Amino acid sequence: MNLDELYRETILDHNQSPRNKKELENPTKTVGLLNPTCGDQIRLDLQLEHGKVTDVGFTGHGCSISMASASMLTDAIKGKTVEEALALAGHFKAFLTGTPSPVTLGDLEALQGVSQFPSRVKCATLAHNALEKALNEETR
Ligand code: ZN
């Protein structure tokens, strides 16, 4: 299996079995965001305790890239501090414009190919933008 195939498999896996696709009972933060160019819609619920993301869930619908990215992101930030989660979102967005990430992005690296399609970058970053919106309010 070459890297392209591995990446495709990873994206497919997150689409078929999305991680953390649920609503939280009493989320600390809830942010809804829309990507009008593609029609992707996402709602991100965050449970924050002592500056950490203790639980996270997302709901919504959209293209496979937007949903896989949300699944990968929620998986990656669970248990991280608010600062680490924000840094991850920033690194991922930079990664999609060709800047290597200083930290491991895990499954999110499978979305690398999206950088060749500027219109799809908005799909891949939708969940990340929602996270930034939620957490920037928190640190203000
Ligand atoms: Zn999309």
Side-chain angles (χ1 to χ4, degrees):
M1 196 186 280
N2 67 30
L3 201 58
D4 274 354
E5 282 165 345
L6 180 69
Y7 284 167
R8 216 171 299 134
E9 286 289 314
T10 304
I11 293 169
L12 197 65
D13 178 49
H14 277 272
N15 268 291
Q16 285 171 345
S17 2
R19 325 292 197 264
N20 309 301
K21 194 161 187 189
K22 61 183 181 187
E23 289 180 16
L24 300 189
E25 285 280 325
N26 289 299
T28 317
K29 292 277 170 189
T30 296
V31 168
L33 219 53
L34 173 73
N35 171 20
T37 51
C38 182
D40 308 318
Q41 254 182 314
I42 188 177
R43 183 187 129 173
L44 191 67
D45 288 348
L46 293 162
Q47 194 71 51
L48 305 174
E49 274 166 55
H50 308 298
K52 271 194 173 179
V53 180
T54 52
D55 202 4
V56 54
F58 81 96
T59 52
H61 54 88
C63 66
S64 58
I65 299 290
S66 66
M67 292 297 111
S69 178
S71 170
M72 291 167 179
L73 175 70
T74 55
D75 218 18
I77 62 169
K78 207 190 258 187
K80 290 221 162 46
T81 66
V82 167
E83 287 75 18
E84 286 167 341
L86 274 174
L88 184 86
H91 290 317
F92 175 70
K93 286 163 76 173
F95 172 73
L96 285 188
T97 60
T99 308
S101 172
V103 299
T104 175
L105 295 171
D107 283 359
L108 284 165
E109 286 174 13
L111 293 169
Q112 190 176 39
V114 171
S115 61
Q116 292 163 41
F117 308 96
S119 62
R120 306 310 299 278
V121 168
K122 284 181 185 165
C123 304
T125 55
L126 183 65
H128 300 255
N129 289 334
L131 178 75
E132 287 181 336
K133 199 174 168 204
L135 293 184
N136 281 329
E137 280 171 11
E138 183 65 19
T139 51
R140 195 171 293 157

